[in-house]
Amino acid sequence: MGTVGKALDLLDLFTRQRAQVGLSEMARLSGLNKATCHRLLTEMESRGLVEQVGAAREYRLGPAVLRLAALRETAVPTRDAAMPVLQTLARATGETAHLSLREGDKLVTLAFAYAPTHATKVMMEDADILPWHATSSGQAVLAFLPEAEQVALLSHPLRRLTDVTETDPARLRARLDDVRAKGCAETAGTFESDAQSVAVPLFLHGEAAVGALGVAVPVSRMTPERQTLIRRHLALAATEIIDLWGGHVPPAVTALWQRLT
Amino acid sequence: MGTVGKALDLLDLFTRQRAQVGLSEMARLSGLNKATCHRLLTEMESRGLVEQVGAAREYRLGPAVLRLAALRETAVPTRDAAMPVLQTLARATGETAHLSLREGDKLVTLAFAYAPTHATKVMMEDADILPWHATSSGQAVLAFLPEAEQVALLSHPLRRLTDVTETDPARLRARLDDVRAKGCAETAGTFESDAQSVAVPLFLHGEAAVGALGVAVPVSRMTPERQTLIRRHLALAATEIIDLWGGHVPPAVTALWQRLT
C-alpha cells in the first residue's frame, strides 16, 4: 500500500462515536508506528484535512472536508439533490428512509430521513458503514454488480450480527439471484434483530449499482400491505433520484420496478 | 513536500469552474510528471476521494468527501449550524452574507446567503478562495492573527486585482492595526471594483481568528447608514455563530463589538 493510501486510511478511523483520536490510539488502531502516524497526520493537517484540538492535541477531521464536499455537490449534486426525495419517501411510508453509496469496498450511509408519524422508528447513524451481507441495501447493490465484484466483496469473513444473519457466501449469492430477479432486496432481523428493511439499487450511468435506497421498519410494525406500499414508493423514489443525478435506470430494472408500482 | 501533501494538493486543482480535470491537465497544473500524478490519483481513487468519469476518464472529486464532511459536521457543526444565521443576516441587511474559514494559508468561502430584496447583488461562489489582502474577510482574519502569521500570509506577492487594491505589505499591516482597533474590516472596490464589503473575524477557542463573517454590497447601494446597520448585524450574527460552534468571543473583541451594536 502506498503512503497516500496509508494516510487516507487514517481518516477512516474517525467515526460518529469516535470523533477525536489521539496519536497513540491512532497508531494502535492503524497498526502503524507513532512516528509514521505523526508524519502522515502532519501532512494532512497542513492541508486542513485533519486538525488538532484540546489540551491533549487529539486529531479530528478538519475544515477542508467541508470545502471539498461543497465542491463535489456543485459538480455532482448528490446528497442535496436526494434529500427532498428522501423526506417525501419517509413521509409516504411513515418509516425511516435512507440512502447509501458505494465507496470502493464499503457501503456508506450518506443521508436519511425520519417520518414524523410514529414514536418508535429505526434510527440511522450518519456516515455509518453498512455490512454488505446483512442489510437489504448491501444486498440490493451486490445483486447489481458484476459477479467478480460480488465475490470480492463477500470474500472477507462475514460477521453473524444477529441469530438470523446469513454468513455463508454461497447461500448469500443464491439469495442475490432472487434480488436481481425482483429488483429489490428485503431483510428481516439480519442486521439488527428488531428491524426489517426493503431496499432498491441506485444507478448512475451504467448497469452496475452505485448505491441503494432503503426503508427500515420496526419488525413489530411490518405487514404485507406495508411491505407492498414500501416497495412501490421505493421504486418511484429511486427513479426520481437517479433522474435528479442525471443518471438512468437500466431498462431491465425499469421493467422490474414497473411491476412493483 | 511529502507524498501525501503532493496528493492532497492535486485536490485543490478542482474548482467550481473546473470540476473535472484530465490526467495531462492535472500534470500541467501541478507541475508533477504524469506518472507521479497517475500514481497519486490512483491511490486517492481507491479511497473514493477522486473518481474517473466519462469516456475521457477525467478525474473529479469522489463521494468519500461527502461522508467525511457529514462526519465533520456531526463532530463540529459548522456549516449547518451557521446557515440559518447567515440567512437571517442576509435578510436583515438586504445584502449578500458569507462565511469563510481559514485552511492553512488559504481563506475559503464555506457558505453564503443572498437577500431576496434586490435584483442586483454581489454574487458569491461556493468554495472560492478569498485573497487575504484584497477582501474585508481576509483583513478581518489577518488582524486577529499573531504578527508572525500575518507576515507569513502576506509574504507572497500580492496581486493588484483592481485599481485600488493595496499590494504593499507594510501599508496593509498598518491598515490591520485599524481593523484590530475597530473589531471589523471594511473594503471598497479592492477585490471587485463594484463591490464594497464589511467583515468581522470569527473565533473558536482562542484569541486567533479562525474565519470571517462578511456582508458584500454593490458600491452603488452603499451608504453610511447601511454600513452602520451592517456592522451592527455582523457583530450580532458573529456572536451567535461562535456561540453555536461552542466557541467564545475574546473579551477584547466583545468590547469592540458592543460599540458596533
Side-chain angles (χ1 to χ4, degrees):
Chain A
M1 186 185 8
T3 312
V4 176
K6 269 186 205 155
L8 297 180
D9 283 347
L10 293 180
L11 298 181
D12 283 339
L13 301 179
F14 298 106
T15 63
R16 198 177 160 97
Q17 289 76 27
R18 191 170 56 212
Q20 291 184 198
V21 185
L23 181 60
S24 304
E25 199 185 354
M26 204 58 113
R28 188 179 61 74
L29 291 167
S30 66
L32 301 173
N33 66 52
K34 263 168 90 162
T36 304
C37 263
H38 184 258
R39 182 171 53 77
L40 298 174
L41 288 163
T42 302
E43 282 201 71
M44 289 197 285
E45 190 182 15
S46 73
R47 302 309 191 277
L49 227 58
V50 298
E51 63 183 7
Q52 283 184 284
V53 282
R57 309 302 289 150
E58 289 190 331
Y59 291 90
R60 71 177 179 204
L61 288 168
V65 298
L66 301 181
R67 175 173 57 86
L68 295 172
L71 269 178
R72 161 82 189 189
E73 282 288 350
T74 302
V76 194
T78 309
R79 192 174 193 268
D80 292 357
M83 209 63 217
V85 183
L86 216 53
Q87 278 153 352
T88 305
L89 179 62
R91 266 196 306 275
T93 58
E95 302 293 346
T96 301
H98 59 100
L99 190 157
S100 53
L101 281 188
R102 179 183 178 187
E103 286 178 24
D105 60 358
K106 287 195 284 285
L107 184 65
V108 179
T109 296
L110 181 69
F112 54 84
Y114 295 123
T117 330
H118 304 287
T120 63
K121 56 189 76 165
V122 179
M123 304 302 286
M124 299 290 302
E125 302 273 61
D126 233 339
D128 248 3
I129 292 172
L130 300 174
W132 293 104
H133 66 299
T135 61
S136 62
S137 292
Q139 294 181 13
V141 177
L142 280 176
F144 291 89
L145 287 181
E147 195 176 324
E149 294 196 50
Q150 284 180 10
V151 173
L153 291 171
L154 293 176
S155 67
H156 310 284
L158 304 175
R159 273 182 64 202
R160 178 173 296 275
L161 300 164
T162 71
D163 288 349
V164 296
T165 312
E166 181 61 74
T167 58
D168 178 65
R171 275 204 296 271
L172 264 169
R173 300 220 8 250
R175 193 165 301 178
L176 296 181
D177 292 339
D178 223 54
V179 173
R180 196 165 35 249
K182 280 179 58 185
C184 89
E186 321 210 342
T187 56
T190 54
F191 181 40
E192 286 174 338
S193 52
D194 52 357
Q196 215 164 323
S197 81
V198 187
V200 293
L202 293 171
F203 301 88
L204 208 46
H205 303 301
E207 308 282 313
V210 299
L213 185 66
V215 168
V217 185
V219 165
S220 56
R221 196 154 59 226
M222 191 58 119
T223 61
E225 294 71 36
R226 194 177 284 269
Q227 207 139 1
T228 305
L229 174 97
I230 289 172
R231 274 188 221 114
R232 182 166 69 237
H233 282 293
L234 273 174
L236 294 170
T239 306
E240 196 179 343
I241 286 173
I242 293 165
D243 187 50
L244 287 168
W245 285 353
H248 73 271
V249 185
V253 177
T254 302
L256 295 173
W257 286 356
Q258 269 159 2
R259 274 190 256 160
L260 299 179
T261 59
Chain B
M1 189 187 3
T3 312
V4 177
K6 270 186 203 153
L8 298 179
D9 283 347
L10 293 181
L11 298 180
D12 284 338
L13 301 180
F14 298 107
T15 64
R16 196 178 164 97
Q17 290 76 27
R18 191 170 56 213
Q20 292 183 199
V21 186
L23 182 59
S24 304
E25 200 185 354
M26 204 58 115
R28 189 179 60 75
L29 291 167
S30 66
L32 301 173
N33 66 52
K34 262 167 92 164
T36 304
C37 263
H38 184 259
R39 181 171 54 76
L40 298 175
L41 286 164
T42 302
E43 282 202 69
M44 289 198 285
E45 190 181 15
S46 72
R47 303 309 192 277
L49 227 58
V50 299
E51 62 183 8
Q52 281 183 287
V53 283
R57 310 300 290 149
E58 289 190 329
Y59 292 91
R60 69 177 180 203
L61 288 168
V65 300
L66 300 181
R67 176 174 55 86
L68 295 173
L71 269 177
R72 161 81 189 191
E73 281 289 349
T74 303
V76 194
T78 307
R79 193 174 192 270
D80 293 355
M83 210 60 217
V85 183
L86 216 54
Q87 278 153 352
T88 305
L89 179 62
R91 266 197 305 277
T93 59
E95 302 294 347
T96 301
H98 59 100
L99 191 157
S100 53
L101 281 188
R102 180 184 177 186
E103 285 178 24
D105 60 358
K106 288 196 285 285
L107 184 66
V108 179
T109 296
L110 180 70
F112 54 83
Y114 294 122
T117 330
H118 304 287
T120 63
K121 55 189 75 164
V122 179
M123 305 302 286
M124 298 291 301
E125 301 272 63
D126 233 341
D128 249 3
I129 292 172
L130 300 174
W132 293 103
H133 65 299
T135 60
S136 62
S137 293
Q139 294 182 13
V141 177
L142 280 176
F144 292 89
L145 288 181
E147 196 176 323
E149 295 196 49
Q150 285 181 9
V151 173
L153 292 171
L154 294 176
S155 67
H156 310 285
L158 305 174
R159 274 182 62 204
R160 178 174 295 274
L161 300 164
T162 71
D163 288 348
V164 295
T165 312
E166 180 62 74
T167 58
D168 178 64
R171 277 204 294 271
L172 263 168
R173 301 220 7 251
R175 194 166 298 178
L176 297 181
D177 292 339
D178 223 55
V179 173
R180 196 162 38 248
K182 280 178 60 185
C184 89
E186 321 209 343
T187 56
T190 54
F191 182 40
E192 287 173 337
S193 53
D194 52 357
Q196 217 165 320
S197 82
V198 187
V200 294
L202 293 170
F203 301 88
L204 209 48
H205 302 301
E207 308 282 314
V210 298
L213 185 67
V215 168
V217 185
V219 164
S220 56
R221 196 154 59 224
M222 191 59 119
T223 61
E225 294 70 38
R226 194 177 282 268
Q227 206 140 2
T228 305
L229 175 97
I230 288 172
R231 276 189 218 114
R232 183 169 66 238
H233 282 293
L234 273 174
L236 293 171
T239 307
E240 195 179 343
I241 287 173
I242 293 165
D243 187 49
L244 287 168
W245 285 353
H248 74 272
V249 185
V253 177
T254 303
L256 295 173
W257 286 355
Q258 269 159 2
R259 275 190 253 160
L260 299 179
T261 59

